[in-house]
Amino acid sequence: MSVLYPKVVFIGLGLIASSMALAMRAANLCEVIVGHARSKETRDVALEIGLVDAVFADPIAAVQDADLVVLALPVGAMGEMAALIGPHLKAGATVTDVGSVKVAVILAVQPHLPVNVHFIPGHPIAGTEFSGPHSGFAQLFQGRWWLLTPHPEIDTQAFARLCELCRKMGAKVDQMDAAHHDLVLAVTSHTPHLIAYTMVGVADDLGRVTDSEVIQYSAAGFRDFTRIASSDPTMWRDVFLNNKEATLEILGRFTDELAQLQNAIRLGDGAHLHAYFTRTRAIRRNIIDAGQDTSAANFGRDAKETTTKS
Ligand code: NAP
């Protein structure tokens, strides 16, 4: 397979960067991979396990002669990083990011990049609750969507090359307006995370149910909440602070519908509850039909694990 970018530089060496580095190496999509992360520990690990050929404590040194720079750090840190590295980028280089929010990242990053650098914002819709350079795996992007939100006047060759890179890492690529991306993700990812964080917090606060009961008798739904709620706190703090409007809009709708369901329970309105749950069940079927999840019971976990399901 052909090399798409001779020198790739990752700024941030966590789950997404390490998965990209492994996927790029597996498909020979680059010749050299260089990295920068904040802590010496992360840089040392990335070098030791062969994610990168070289690491730099100084991001400016890292980006020298880069053909592709990937901003793979929390979205709140991207603007400051762009200001630092912007003046040191090679003419004709491409910069992309993998942040979960797009409008705020574009506003923070774009002004710091020279006009002869192609900035193509992106977001792989793939992840796990784990963080750090050890957590990556080359298959993370297989069959998942990679959303790109370029400026309408983006250089078409630079855009086509990044699309090819994403596809060769196993992803399906789609192009979207940045504000629309943020609304879609508020529905499909950001608000659900907030609900999971809240439910786990409520269980933790509830004096009448002991911590050991919560752990011992946790049903499948709650266990999924705890998995989601164990995601990186810095990443998710930054997501909510940078996708404020869309998240608040969806959260407003969520609380309205929750109040209606609450009312139906109070009034014993079984017809309302049944109709609502029938509609949501159909949405689950559509997700499976679109190949975005497994139809196996309890997400394909083994039978032993499902015994606590209530
Ligand atoms: P992660 O595993 O927590 O790694 C974050 C990396 O960024 C670490 O290497 C960290 O360095 C570095 N970092 C943090 N702040 C920094 C700063 N100020 N300067 C330099 N480096 C800094 O994160 P991730 O899950 O890969 O997420 C990276 C990005 O991808 C985020 O913007 C997130 O929104 C997006 N994303 C995540 C997922 C997901 O499921 N996790 C999915 C799609 C997109 P140290 O280790 O030295 O602290």
Side-chain angles (χ1 to χ4, degrees):
M1 225 175 258
S2 57
V3 166
L4 289 170
Y5 297 96
K7 182 172 178 181
V8 175
V9 177
F10 289 102
I11 304 291
L13 292 165
L15 168 73
I16 301 296
S18 56
S19 298
M20 288 179 74
L22 293 170
M24 284 184 196
R25 283 209 197 281
N28 289 320
L29 303 174
C30 57
E31 287 165 358
V32 177
I33 301 182
V34 167
H36 159 77
R38 196 173 36 176
S39 68
K40 183 173 180 329
E41 190 192 348
T42 298
R43 295 194 299 271
D44 288 349
V45 169
L47 197 58
E48 256 166 52
I49 63 177
L51 285 180
V52 291
D53 300 300
V55 281
F56 290 88
D58 177 6
I60 295 170
V63 300
Q64 297 302 318
D65 291 321
D67 299 290
L68 174 68
V69 175
V70 183
L71 300 175
L73 61 171
V75 294
M78 287 188 188
E80 206 175 314
M81 185 56 72
L84 213 55
I85 63 172
H88 306 277
L89 296 168
K90 183 168 81 173
T94 291
V95 173
T96 190
D97 77 288
V98 293
S100 308
V101 172
K102 296 276 56 87
V103 172
V105 166
I106 293 169
L107 291 175
V109 170
Q110 184 80 74
H112 301 295
L113 302 183
V115 286
N116 58 10
V117 162
H118 311 294
F119 177 44
I120 309 175
H123 178 200
I125 312 294
T128 72
E129 66 275 29
F130 300 114
S131 324
H134 274 300
S135 57
F137 51 101
Q139 298 75 25
L140 178 65
F141 310 111
Q142 285 296 332
R144 314 304 302 184
W145 285 101
W146 202 302
L147 303 179
L148 297 174
T149 63
H151 189 276
E153 284 164 25
I154 191 67
D155 179 274
T156 50
Q157 272 189 328
F159 182 65
R161 184 173 296 216
L162 188 66
C163 289
E164 197 178 349
L165 180 87
C166 298
R167 287 197 190 98
K168 292 210 162 136
M169 287 190 289
K172 302 183 281 188
V173 178
D174 209 353
Q175 190 175 340
M176 207 179 255
D177 166 72
H180 188 65
H181 164 279
D182 289 356
L183 182 64
V184 170
L185 268 291
V187 176
T188 59
S189 170
H190 306 167
T191 310
H193 265 82
L194 198 68
I195 293 164
Y197 279 122
T198 315
M199 198 53 233
V200 174
V202 166
D204 189 44
D205 285 345
L206 206 65
R208 277 171 297 152
V209 180
T210 65
D211 282 354
S212 63
E213 280 172 319
V214 168
I215 293 163
Q216 192 171 337
Y217 302 124
S218 80
F222 184 72
R223 277 185 287 142
D224 288 329
F225 278 166
T226 61
R227 184 185 64 72
I228 294 168
S230 70
S231 301
D232 185 67
T234 306
M235 171 189 154
W236 283 97
R237 176 202 64 196
D238 282 11
V239 166
F240 293 116
L241 294 182
N242 288 281
N243 196 17
K244 220 181 243 182
E245 272 182 37
T247 310
L248 290 177
E249 183 190 334
I250 301 307
L251 207 53
R253 289 182 186 224
F254 174 81
T255 46
D256 286 351
E257 299 223 7
L258 189 64
Q260 283 176 30
L261 290 175
Q262 203 176 2
N263 214 28
I265 294 170
R266 189 176 294 119
L267 299 174
D269 186 352
H272 180 90
L273 295 173
H274 195 271
Y276 200 93
F277 302 156
T278 303
R279 183 156 68 88
T280 55
R281 185 182 228 190
I283 292 169
R284 171 77 189 153
R285 263 192 228 113
N286 292 342
I287 291 171
I288 292 164
D289 291 348
Q292 292 299 299
D293 208 347
T294 172
S295 59
N298 199 18
F299 307 103
R301 292 169 184 143
D302 66 25
K304 204 170 58 190
E305 271 192 280
T306 66
T307 52
T308 52
K309 195 175 169 188
S310 64

